[in-house]
Amino acid sequence: MKKSIAKYFVVFVLFAAAFNLAGCAILLNVKKDTQDIIIVAEDGGVYDFYVDNSIVCRNTDRCVYVHSKGTPCQHTFDLKRGDDIYGTLFYGYWEEKSTLAKMMSVSKREDNACPEEWEGEAIHVIVEIDPDIDGREDSAAR
């Protein structure tokens, strides 16, 4: 009887380990297929952060956007307060690739990756603030 329980326990431990390893592999693969883009304002101010006309972060000084390598790296980052847009950045690859470049492409996923400085590090993007809009708010507050 004890041998039977020990046998089931060993089988249970092996299954648990296999599921744990499979879960880690899935998480690593998901992480490999995404990129973290940290968006900040040039002036360090607090804004609502929009990516491609959809709000991602509200009332903060920095925002982390997760880019999927399954989609092209072609994003519009807008920093807003209310309805006023204080800064816009067209980020990524907006130009059309040449036919030769498309033919030489090895991986569609890597083609969609956003530019980064170090492999695996989060990407830091700084959005410039329009001084005309920023000045308009300052003069209205006086």
Side-chain angles (χ1 to χ4, degrees), residues 75-94:
H75 300 292
T76 303
F77 299 139
D78 290 314
L79 276 54
K80 295 183 178 182
R81 288 186 185 145
D83 291 333
D84 292 331
I85 298 175
Y86 284 78
T88 297
L89 176 68
F90 297 101
Y91 177 76
Y93 303 109
W94 288 82

Side-chain angles (χ1 to χ4, degrees), residues 41-80:
E42 174 187 39
D43 66 354
V46 173
Y47 298 93
D48 293 336
F49 291 78
Y50 286 76
V51 178
D52 302 326
N53 296 319
S54 296
I55 192 156
V56 178
C57 300
R58 290 185 188 273
N59 200 31
T60 185
D61 63 344
R62 68 189 295 260
C63 182
V64 177
Y65 172 71
V66 179
H67 168 74
S68 168
K69 291 182 183 177
T71 60
C73 181
Q74 191 177 70
H75 300 292
T76 303
F77 299 139
D78 290 314
L79 276 54
K80 295 183 178 182

Side-chain angles (χ1 to χ4, degrees), residues 27-43:
L27 286 176
L28 286 174
N29 194 31
V30 166
K31 182 64 180 166
K32 182 178 163 185
D33 288 338
T34 61
Q35 292 176 292
D36 291 342
I37 301 173
I38 299 172
I39 312 163
V40 296
E42 174 187 39
D43 66 354

